[in-house]
């Protein structure tokens, strides 16, 4: 697999780091290992829209994590793996989410290897979050990401905030559901058939930068990315076929969060420039939290966001002129019970997506998660979302931690 190709680029760094860790005195080396084993069941309760699709999807996932630190915690190696066995062949996959060496000294930090980096403040759509590729077969909302090969250098200053510099030597293709899978197009997309605008294809050397600054109630992030886009561009021809490629893009992003009493004001905005298309997109909204209701620790947050994308119906997220309303409930109990309820409504069409996410811990090593997505009155003019109109689903997962 291609995963092994880019791992070779970093093997010398890990050999050096492991050798150095082993040379330290045992009392100065700290190691941690955790294993999560998950059983999952997804049920799509509407008849399939396309031939070959199934309705019941049991699966098993394994997530091992390992961390070793030395030099008083200033050097470490961090590993997170992932494997899923699913009824959909394309959802049966493995990935190295993270495997990187990290060194911190004075006011700088260096990371080398495969890593996950998250940017953004919004709830309904993470526009500025561009470093990692989306693992689209794992979740509908794009929260799961593939490990990205990188060299990351962080410089922290007291007066001017922090500066992150990224060198990204390899591009990873987005995963898509197979013939049996749901949440796919009528034509099954083979990710290996998606072309690249760049002649270097996946080995194009990408660069990114982010500046973070905190002042008073303001948390500000300003970023720029130059390289292979993480979203493939889809072109639908009159014969019903799909042509797709990864364009070379410039993307400038702004994320801003203002904290004022119980309010969080949030903004994410990007401008993306490419040979194929230029566009502006944004998410703006707020979150208000009622804290410790009746003195029992219950927190209830109310969320509202507006989403805009100049690509209109060609937006891969389909969030071109929509509003999101939701509520986040945190019980703050021993079981860490939480619920997130929300809905995204299109302001131009009848399309609405309802969602529920809940989690609760049982004992000290068991966790149950429930997720439901309901696609309601999806308009046929929605070029992307109309392919999912029969894909409302319920997902239940039970995890055991070792």
């Amino acid at each position: 697999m291609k995963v092994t190709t880019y791992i070779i680029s970093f093997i010398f760094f890990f050999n050096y780091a492991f050798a150095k860790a082993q040379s330290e005195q045992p009392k100065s080396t700290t190691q941690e290992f955790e294993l999560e084993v998950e059983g999952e069941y997804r049920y799509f309760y509407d008849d399939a829209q396309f031939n070959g699709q199934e309705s019941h999807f049991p699966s098993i996932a394994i997530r091992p994590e390992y961390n070793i630190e030395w030099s008083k915690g200033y050097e470490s190696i961090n590993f997170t793996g992932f494997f899923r066995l699913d009824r959909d062949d394309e959802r049966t996959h493995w990935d190295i989410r993270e495997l990187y060496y990290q060194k911190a000294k004075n006011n700088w930090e260096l990371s080398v290897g495969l890593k996950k980096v998250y940017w953004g403040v919004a709830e309904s759509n993470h526009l500025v979050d561009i470093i990692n590729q989306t693992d689209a077969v794992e979740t509908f909302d794009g929260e799961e990401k593939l490990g990205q090969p990188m060299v990351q250098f962080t410089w922290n200053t007291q007066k001017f905030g922090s500066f992150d510099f990224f060198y990204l030597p390899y591009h990873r293709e987005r995963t898509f559901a197979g013939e049996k899978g749901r949440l796919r197009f009528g034509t099954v997309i083979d990710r290996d058939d998606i072309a690249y605008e760049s002649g270097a294809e996946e080995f194009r050397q990408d660069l990114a930068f982010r500046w973070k600054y905190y002042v008073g109630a303001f948390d500000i992030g300003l970023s720029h990315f130059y390289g292979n886009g993480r979203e493939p561009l889809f072109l639908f021809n009159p014969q019903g076929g799909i042509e797709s490629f990864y364009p070379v893009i410039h993307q400038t992003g702004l994320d801003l969060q203002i904290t004022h009493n119980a309010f969080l004001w949030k903004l994410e905005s990007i401008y993306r420039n490419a040979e194929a298309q230029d566009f502006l997109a944004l998410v703006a909204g707020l979150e208000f939290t009622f804290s410790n209701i009746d003195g029992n620790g219950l927190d209830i947050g109310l969320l509202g966001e507006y989403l805009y994308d100049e690509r209109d119906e060609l937006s891969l997220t389909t969030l071109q002129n929509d509003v999101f309303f939701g509520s986040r409930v945190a019980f703050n109990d021993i079981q860490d019970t939480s619920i997130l309820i929300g809905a995204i409504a299109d302001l131009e069409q009848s399309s609405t997506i309802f969602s529920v996410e809940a989690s609760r811990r049982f004992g000290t090593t068991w966790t149950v998660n429930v997720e439901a997505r309901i696609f309601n009155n999806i308009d046929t003019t929605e070029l992307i979302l109309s392919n999912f109109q029969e894909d409302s689903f319920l997902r239940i997962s039970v995890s055991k931690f070792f």
Side-chain angles (χ1 to χ4, degrees):
M1 296 178 66
K2 291 184 178 179
V3 174
T4 58
T5 304
Y6 56 76
I7 291 178
I8 295 176
S9 304
F10 300 103
I11 193 67
F12 295 108
F13 290 97
F14 295 121
N15 283 339
Y16 161 76
F18 271 116
K20 188 171 182 179
Q22 294 300 320
S23 68
E24 297 285 331
Q25 294 296 323
K27 63 180 181 180
S28 63
T29 301
T30 303
Q31 302 183 59
E32 293 183 0
F33 177 78
E34 184 178 87
L35 176 66
E36 177 187 357
V37 179
E38 173 197 86
E40 180 192 84
Y41 174 71
R42 293 189 304 157
Y43 171 58
F44 295 82
Y45 42 86
D46 289 325
D47 293 336
Q49 184 173 354
F50 306 117
N51 292 332
Q53 290 182 309
E54 302 287 348
S55 297
H56 303 270
F57 292 88
S59 69
I60 297 176
I62 301 174
R63 300 179 180 90
E65 294 186 14
Y66 174 75
N67 170 268
I68 180 171
E69 296 181 349
W70 66 97
S71 298
K72 299 181 180 180
Y74 289 104
E75 292 185 81
S76 65
I77 290 177
N78 307 275
F79 166 76
T80 303
F82 175 78
F83 171 76
R84 182 177 297 281
L85 179 64
D86 190 87
R87 191 175 187 181
D88 177 8
D89 292 340
E90 291 301 318
R91 200 168 185 253
T92 296
H93 66 302
W94 68 276
D95 182 46
I96 299 178
R97 299 299 202 210
E98 293 190 309
L99 177 58
Y100 65 95
Y101 163 73
Q102 185 174 73
K103 179 178 177 63
K105 186 174 182 180
N106 298 327
N107 64 338
W108 60 265
E109 188 175 282
L110 176 68
S111 299
V112 181
L114 288 90
K115 192 177 180 183
K116 291 204 299 183
V117 175
Y118 172 76
W119 298 345
V121 296
E123 179 68 38
S124 55
N125 192 16
H126 308 305
L127 287 173
V128 301
D129 190 31
I130 194 173
I131 294 294
N132 292 85
Q133 178 61 273
T134 298
D135 189 348
V137 296
E138 270 302 296
T139 58
F140 170 75
D141 56 15
E143 296 286 347
E144 287 292 333
K145 301 290 184 177
L146 301 175
Q148 171 62 45
M150 70 175 68
V151 177
Q152 177 186 2
F153 179 78
T154 301
W155 178 40
N156 298 298
T157 70
Q158 292 183 346
K159 292 184 178 181
F160 306 106
S162 63
F163 301 84
D164 285 306
F165 303 88
F166 297 87
Y167 166 63
L168 311 169
Y170 186 86
H171 176 269
R172 302 197 62 187
E173 298 94 344
R174 181 166 297 200
T175 53
F176 295 97
E179 183 178 4
K180 294 181 181 180
R182 292 294 192 103
L183 298 166
R184 69 166 173 84
F185 298 128
T187 300
V188 178
I189 296 176
D190 186 342
R191 60 180 176 174
D192 293 329
D193 289 340
I194 300 179
Y196 285 85
E197 179 183 347
S198 170
E201 298 185 335
E202 65 266 36
F203 289 100
R204 190 188 189 284
Q205 310 301 287
D206 301 338
L207 300 171
F209 163 81
R210 186 169 189 249
W211 169 65
K212 295 180 294 183
Y213 188 61
Y214 307 93
V215 54
F218 292 81
D219 295 348
I220 306 169
L222 184 64
S223 59
H224 188 79
F225 172 91
Y226 173 50
N228 285 325
R230 273 34 182 171
E231 288 183 350
L233 180 62
F234 292 102
L235 303 176
F236 298 86
N237 59 46
Q239 290 74 34
I242 302 176
E243 300 175 10
S244 53
F245 68 95
Y246 290 101
V248 176
I249 68 170
H250 282 276
Q251 176 174 304
T252 301
L254 168 68
D255 57 279
L256 171 66
Q257 181 168 284
I258 304 172
T259 304
H260 179 65
N261 297 326
F263 283 95
L264 290 177
W265 301 87
K266 304 179 181 183
L267 171 68
E268 287 190 36
S269 180
I270 62 170
Y271 178 72
R272 187 179 299 174
N273 172 261
E275 186 71 25
Q277 60 178 194
D278 297 345
F279 70 91
L280 173 73
L282 65 84
V283 182
L286 61 86
E287 178 174 354
F288 180 83
T289 302
F290 298 93
S291 301
N292 195 23
I293 298 176
D294 293 333
N296 61 8
L298 178 66
D299 294 342
I300 298 180
L302 302 179
L303 304 97
E305 294 178 350
Y306 171 70
L307 305 101
Y308 172 75
D309 193 314
E310 283 187 333
R311 291 175 293 177
D312 292 329
E313 67 271 9
L314 294 178
S315 168
L316 194 57
T317 63
T318 73
L319 303 174
Q320 71 277 15
N321 186 21
D322 300 67
V323 290
F324 165 78
F325 293 102
S327 178
R328 192 197 322 272
V329 181
F331 290 82
N332 293 313
D333 55 1
I334 298 176
Q335 293 79 24
D336 196 23
T337 308
S338 64
I339 303 172
L340 176 62
I341 303 173
I344 296 176
D346 194 307
L347 294 178
E348 298 177 354
Q349 313 292 347
S350 59
S351 305
T352 307
I353 304 174
F354 298 97
S355 64
V356 177
E357 299 176 57
S359 66
R360 181 179 174 88
R361 190 173 63 243
F362 292 88
T364 58
T365 60
W366 293 88
T367 299
V368 175
N369 291 278
V370 177
E371 176 187 4
R373 304 277 175 175
I374 300 174
F375 300 92
N376 184 57
N377 290 329
I378 303 302
D379 196 281
T380 56
T381 61
E382 299 262 18
L383 294 182
I384 304 294
L385 199 57
S386 61
N387 291 274
F388 310 150
Q389 59 186 332
E390 304 298 333
D391 288 342
S392 298
F393 68 90
L394 173 68
R395 182 182 71 88
I396 301 175
S397 67
V398 179
S399 296
K400 167 72 173 177
F401 294 85
F402 299 90

